[in-house]
Amino acid sequence: MKKLRQEAQEKALLETFQQKIDREEKIEPKDWMPEAYRQNLIRQISQHAHSEVIGEQPEGNWITRAPSLRRKAVLLAKVQDEAGHGLYLYSSAETLGISRAEMIEALQTGKAKYASIFNYPTQTWGDIGAIGWLVDGAAICNQVSLQRTSYGPYSRAMIRICKEESFHQRQGYQIMLALANGSEAQRQMAQDSLNRFYWPSLMMFGPHDAESAHSARSMQWKIKRETNDSLRQKFIDQTVQQIEFLGLEHPDKAIKWNDERGHYDSGEIDWEEFYNVINGNGHCNRQRIQHHVNAHEEGAWVRDAQNAHAEKVKQRQQHAVA
Ligand code: FAQ
């Protein structure tokens, strides 16, 4: 009897929750939410945060080798922005009752993923252009829709992040423009970076909808507002003209406008490569995690000092009250 009453209560709560989402009202940290909603958000937001932080590594690799002081200052600012995005996102996930330490542990032990793209090496300066243009470009495509995600703290973090990402995308495209209009060697460098980063950028949107484990539920709960395939199509469509304007060759030989669909048709992604990379076997997976572990260990004294200071402040306050 008690169990039946509990089930009826749960069902009513779930209905009210779904109605709230359907009315486009935000869910806030103290609101009732189904456990699966909370867990799915923790998974997505924390993986998003890890991506921002691990994403600093391939770009950080070029800070000391940027071709001019201006380029160095811009890249430095961009990498700092990514660190900030990680912080907004970790804070947003913390409102769901998980600690930063638990999230870091999940990243470092391989339980939590981060975007596959950051397991590719940055071999030339052109790669920094391609990352800004294509990787930030793909990220924005997705993040613009996430500004309308149903969870309040995630949505507000995304609004702020999107403003910065559009600057990132433009600085990347500007690097590509300079290279594409430069010497023959520079033009080739731009083409080579485009060839290597184009397909991995398409993989950032995740598996096809039919293969996507989380999409159906995330769409119903409006955690995600557009599916993996529809966002990928948007990105494919917008990139064609950008490649043409640079005067470079499109890496996908099957790309073709389809009048009926009102979209470009394109070649198939190498899904074997995608699954290899997300399962830890890309070019740089081990290096990226090892670097994170080292930096985290080196920063332990800062966390210890902060905790000791917080404890002292707490004790002083307790003393004052007593
Ligand atoms: N890489 O069922 P789905 C950036 C995993 S930010 C790695 O479709 P979902 C800024 C997925 O997690 C880039 N793993 O999953 C920047 C799941 O694994 P799980 C990050 C991937 O969540 C620029 C499994 O496959 N952006 O770049 C990938 O519904 C430059 C099944 O997939 C975000 O995170 C992948 N590409 O859809 C920073 C945006 N794709 O958890 C520095 C927010 C899928 O079951 C420099 N996230 N997986 O073990 C999302 O929109 C979604 O989570 C998707 C995946 C679309 C990424």
Side-chain angles (χ1 to χ4, degrees):
M1 191 66 185
K2 196 172 160 206
K3 195 166 169 244
L4 277 178
R5 206 177 318 124
Q6 257 176 356
E7 276 174 10
Q9 267 173 353
E10 181 95 356
K11 195 164 166 261
L13 281 167
L14 204 56
E15 269 167 24
T16 315
F17 174 80
Q18 188 65 48
Q19 283 161 2
K20 199 167 171 188
I21 286 185
D22 294 343
R23 288 196 303 270
E24 297 290 328
E25 281 174 37
K26 297 288 178 222
I27 306 299
E28 296 298 340
K30 287 185 178 160
D31 295 346
W32 184 88
M33 60 185 83
E35 184 55 20
Y37 176 85
R38 198 176 72 84
Q39 289 302 338
N40 198 6
L41 269 174
I42 290 178
R43 181 194 64 81
Q44 178 167 325
I45 304 174
S46 66
Q47 294 193 8
H48 193 166
H50 300 325
S51 306
E52 301 280 356
V53 170
I54 296 289
E56 289 173 74
Q57 291 187 38
E59 295 193 306
N61 187 30
W62 279 87
I63 290 174
T64 53
R65 291 180 283 163
S68 71
L69 185 59
R70 182 173 154 266
R71 294 285 190 205
K72 191 195 285 264
V74 172
L75 183 58
L76 204 55
K78 179 187 189 297
V79 173
Q80 279 178 336
D81 282 353
E82 308 300 0
H85 298 174
L87 289 182
Y88 309 154
L89 289 164
Y90 283 128
S91 302
S92 149
E94 279 172 316
T95 64
L96 291 155
I98 184 165
S99 71
R100 183 88 59 93
E102 286 170 300
M103 290 186 268
I104 301 292
E105 155 108 12
L107 168 69
Q108 294 186 346
T109 54
K111 259 189 265 156
K113 295 188 172 72
Y114 58 87
S116 48
I117 189 83
F118 301 120
N119 293 305
Y120 292 82
T122 40
Q123 300 173 34
T124 67
W125 174 249
D127 293 356
I128 299 303
I131 289 184
W133 165 36
L134 298 172
V135 176
D136 284 272
I140 300 170
C141 242
N142 189 355
Q143 290 168 345
V144 163
S145 77
L146 287 174
Q147 291 178 114
R148 293 184 299 116
T149 186
S150 57
Y151 188 56
Y154 191 23
S155 152
R156 291 188 284 276
M158 289 321 311
I159 292 169
R160 221 167 141 177
I161 290 174
C162 278
K163 288 191 182 140
E164 293 173 352
E165 294 290 25
S166 42
F167 151 74
H168 295 169
Q169 196 267 353
R170 275 175 233 158
Q171 69 83 37
Y173 194 68
Q174 211 265 331
I175 292 175
M176 293 302 278
L177 257 180
L179 292 175
N181 292 311
S183 66
E184 183 48 27
Q186 286 172 319
R187 210 191 59 76
Q188 272 177 20
M189 183 189 279
Q191 182 69 58
D192 172 58
S193 298
L194 167 59
N195 293 347
R196 281 182 294 108
F197 276 89
Y198 179 75
W199 292 102
S201 301
L202 298 189
M203 295 176 196
M204 287 176 70
F205 296 96
H208 280 312
D209 295 347
E211 315 292 326
S212 164
H214 305 289
S215 276
R217 218 161 199 201
S218 294
M219 292 293 290
Q220 187 199 342
W221 282 336
K222 299 189 181 173
I223 291 174
K224 278 163 66 162
R225 302 305 306 249
E226 286 187 62
T227 69
N228 298 0
D229 284 329
S230 76
L231 288 167
R232 184 169 19 243
Q233 183 71 59
K234 248 187 210 172
F235 178 73
I236 290 172
D237 290 348
Q238 80 184 27
T239 307
V240 171
Q241 283 181 1
Q242 294 170 349
I243 295 175
E244 272 171 18
F245 189 75
L246 291 171
L248 298 178
E249 256 180 57
H250 202 298
D252 181 356
K253 299 299 165 236
I255 200 93
K256 196 167 180 280
W257 178 253
N258 182 328
D259 236 349
E260 222 170 275
R261 289 201 312 124
H263 290 291
Y264 281 92
D265 290 337
S266 53
E268 196 47 278
I269 288 170
D270 181 346
W271 292 109
E272 199 182 323
E273 177 179 324
F274 170 76
Y275 284 110
N276 258 332
V277 177
I278 69 168
N279 288 322
N281 298 314
H283 279 285
C284 302
N285 295 60
R286 287 172 194 82
Q287 181 190 331
R288 299 288 186 241
I289 292 298
Q290 192 53 52
H291 189 77
H292 191 278
V293 169
N294 294 347
H296 196 63
E297 283 172 1
E298 278 168 25
W301 69 271
V302 180
R303 293 188 296 279
D304 289 347
Q306 272 178 330
N307 288 339
H309 177 69
E311 187 55 35
K312 260 193 208 163
V313 171
K314 201 169 116 196
Q315 276 176 10
R316 246 182 258 140
Q317 278 166 350
Q318 279 169 353
H319 197 68
V321 172

